[in-house]
Amino acid sequence: MAIDVNRSQKDLLVVEDLKKYFPVRSGLLQRVTAWVKAVDGVSFTIREGETFGLVGESGCGKTTVGRTILRLIPPTGGNVYFDGEEIFKMGRREFKAMRRNMQIVFQDPYSSLDPRMPVGEIIAEGMAIHGIGTKQERAEIIAQLLQKVGMNPYHARRYPHEFSGGQRQRIGIARALALQPKFIVCDEPVSALDVSVQSAVLNLLRSLQREFGLTYLFIAHNLSVVEHISDRVGVMYLGKMVEVADRETLFRNPLHPYTQALMSAIPIPDPKAKRERIVLTGDVPSPLNPPKGCRFHPRCPRVMDVCKEVEPVFEQKHPDHWVACHLYSPSEATFQPPAVPQPQPITLS
C-alpha cells in the first residue's frame, strides 16, 4: 500500500507503491509461466539533503529498488516523483535531462569500470554525452574531481587495473559527481572493500554530501554502517518495506520482529558484553511464491493466526515511524515491544 505522503518542498524523492516483477520463461516458445516479485509495493520518501538507508537480507529487493528508481531497469508498477516530477512518464529526451540529477555508485568497483578506458575518459563520459564543456574544460573538471575524492590529477591517464578496490570506488564516486547531481544511489558502496578502507570511503561520502548538498539512497546490509551514515532507515523483507523510521528511533526501539532480529545480530565491540540473540528459523521464502498474509510469518517468533491470512498494512504508528505488523493495530497503539539490547556505538574514523 502506498504511503499517503505530503509532498512538501523537503521531499526530493517520493516512491509510491513501486513494483518490479521479473518473468520466468519456460518451454520451447519461452512463454512466461511465473513472475519473481522482487519489489512488490514499496513506498517511502527521501528528503532533500538527507541519507536514507535501505537494509535487509540478500535478495530482499534493495538493489532492484535503487535501479528501478533510476530507470536502469523498467518498473512493473508504481510511481516515482523526483523534485515534484513523475519520472516514469517522461519521454526519452526529457528523462535524459533529468538523469543529470540522478546518479549511482555501484557495489562492485571492479566490474563497474570499463577496463579498456583510462580513468579520465570514464569520468568524462557522462559530460561528453550531455555536451558539457570543451575537451579542455572537461579535463580541468576531471582533475578537480579526482582531488575531491582523494586522488591525484595524473591518475586520469591510468587504467582501472592499476588501482586498488578502494581507489576504484573513489573513481566511481568521482564519475557520479561529474554531472553535479542532486541525488545519488549508493548501492552497497563499501561491502566489497576492506574494513579499514570502508571507513575512509564512508567519511568521503559524508564530506561530499556536506560540500555539495547531496541526497543519498544508501543501500547496505551492514547495520553498523547504516547507523553511522544514515538519517532515516527503511527495512525491507522479501520485496516489501516492513519498517521506516529515523535512525535513533529505529536502533533504540525497533517495532517489527524482523527489525528486532536484525538489531540483535549487530556485533558488540566488547568481548565481555553479552546479550540475547533473536535467532530466526527457516529460510527466506521464494519471491516466486511468497507466503499468504505477512511474508515474514513463517519465520516470525511472535506469529499470530491473522498473520497467516491477512497482509498487514504499512502505516504510521508513531510520528515519522512506519511499520507493517499486526502487533500494532490502531486499538493497540500503546503496545510496547520487548526491549532489545542495543549495541554500544561504533566510531568509524
Side-chain angles (χ1 to χ4, degrees):
M1 176 172 289
I3 299 178
D4 184 15
V5 293
N6 177 21
R7 295 178 196 156
S8 66
Q9 293 181 348
K10 295 182 180 179
D11 291 330
L12 181 66
L13 186 80
V14 178
V15 179
E16 293 183 345
D17 200 28
L18 182 65
K19 297 178 182 178
K20 178 57 187 176
Y21 301 164
F22 293 96
V24 177
R25 302 179 185 274
S26 61
L28 184 63
L29 300 178
Q30 289 294 291
R31 292 175 176 171
V32 176
T33 56
W35 294 90
V36 176
K37 297 181 178 180
V39 178
D40 194 13
V42 167
S43 301
F44 60 93
T45 65
I46 303 180
R47 298 161 187 160
E48 189 171 3
E50 79 168 353
T51 299
F52 185 90
L54 190 59
V55 301
E57 292 174 290
S58 297
C60 71
K62 308 184 298 297
T63 294
T64 304
V65 167
R67 298 193 178 202
T68 307
I69 287 172
L70 298 180
R71 281 178 55 174
L72 295 178
I73 52 178
T76 302
N79 300 304
V80 173
Y81 300 87
F82 182 83
D83 215 5
E85 299 185 46
E86 188 173 359
I87 65 173
F88 288 167
K89 292 185 178 181
M90 289 182 176
R92 185 173 180 178
R93 182 175 299 179
E94 187 181 6
F95 184 68
K96 179 181 178 181
M98 174 64 74
R99 190 177 286 282
R100 290 182 57 176
N101 295 315
M102 308 170 70
Q103 295 296 306
I104 185 170
V105 177
F106 294 97
Q107 176 180 0
D108 188 356
Y110 293 89
S111 63
S112 63
L113 303 179
D114 191 334
R116 299 169 296 179
M117 297 174 63
V119 167
E121 290 185 17
I122 291 173
I123 298 174
E125 189 173 17
M127 292 187 285
I129 291 173
H130 288 273
I132 298 175
T134 64
K135 187 174 182 180
Q136 180 60 34
E137 289 171 340
R138 290 197 290 267
E140 294 175 0
I141 294 174
I142 292 167
Q144 294 173 4
L145 288 172
L146 287 172
Q147 290 178 320
K148 289 289 185 185
V149 299
M151 301 185 70
N152 295 311
Y154 66 82
H155 286 148
R157 299 187 296 271
R158 296 185 177 180
Y159 287 82
H161 73 270
E162 300 179 63
F163 298 96
S164 66
Q167 288 175 317
R168 291 187 186 203
Q169 199 61 293
R170 290 173 186 269
I171 294 169
I173 293 171
R175 177 177 58 185
L177 292 174
L179 296 178
Q180 298 181 342
K182 296 180 181 178
F183 172 68
I184 297 179
V185 174
C186 301
D187 183 13
E188 302 202 39
V190 298
S191 64
L193 306 178
D194 294 336
V195 175
S196 59
V197 180
Q198 287 185 15
S199 61
V201 173
L202 289 173
N203 290 333
L204 171 64
L205 289 171
R206 295 188 68 176
S207 65
L208 292 172
Q209 183 178 37
R210 290 190 295 266
E211 182 175 356
F212 297 106
L214 299 171
T215 303
Y216 292 146
L217 170 60
F218 192 90
I219 300 169
H221 59 267
N222 188 326
L223 288 169
S224 298
V225 170
V226 170
E227 184 180 15
H228 174 70
I229 197 171
S230 301
D231 299 301
R232 289 191 302 133
V233 181
V235 182
M236 283 189 66
Y237 182 82
L238 202 61
K240 291 281 189 180
M241 191 75 80
V242 298
E243 190 165 0
V244 173
D246 66 88
R247 176 188 59 199
E248 293 184 2
T249 299
L250 191 76
F251 280 82
R252 183 183 67 250
N253 185 32
L255 297 182
H256 199 279
Y258 177 63
T259 310
Q260 294 172 8
L262 291 180
M263 298 301 175
S264 74
I266 299 177
I268 302 176
D270 183 355
K272 297 181 180 179
K274 295 182 179 180
R275 69 175 173 195
E276 182 180 355
R277 285 284 308 275
I278 301 175
V279 180
L280 300 178
T281 58
D283 297 323
V284 180
S286 171
L288 269 171
N289 186 26
K292 186 179 179 181
C294 176
R295 297 191 176 185
F296 184 60
H297 86 257
R299 305 174 69 197
C300 183
R302 307 177 65 193
V303 62
M304 302 180 294
D305 290 339
V306 67
C307 304
K308 303 176 182 179
E309 300 295 331
V310 181
E311 182 177 340
V313 178
F314 187 63
E315 55 189 357
Q316 186 170 342
K317 302 303 181 181
H318 301 292
D320 204 22
H321 194 164
W322 300 73
V323 67
C325 184
H326 289 297
L327 291 170
Y328 310 97
S329 63
S331 61
E332 298 176 289
T334 58
F335 178 86
Q336 293 296 325
V340 177
Q342 299 299 308
Q344 298 178 2
I346 300 175
T347 303
L348 297 176
S349 58

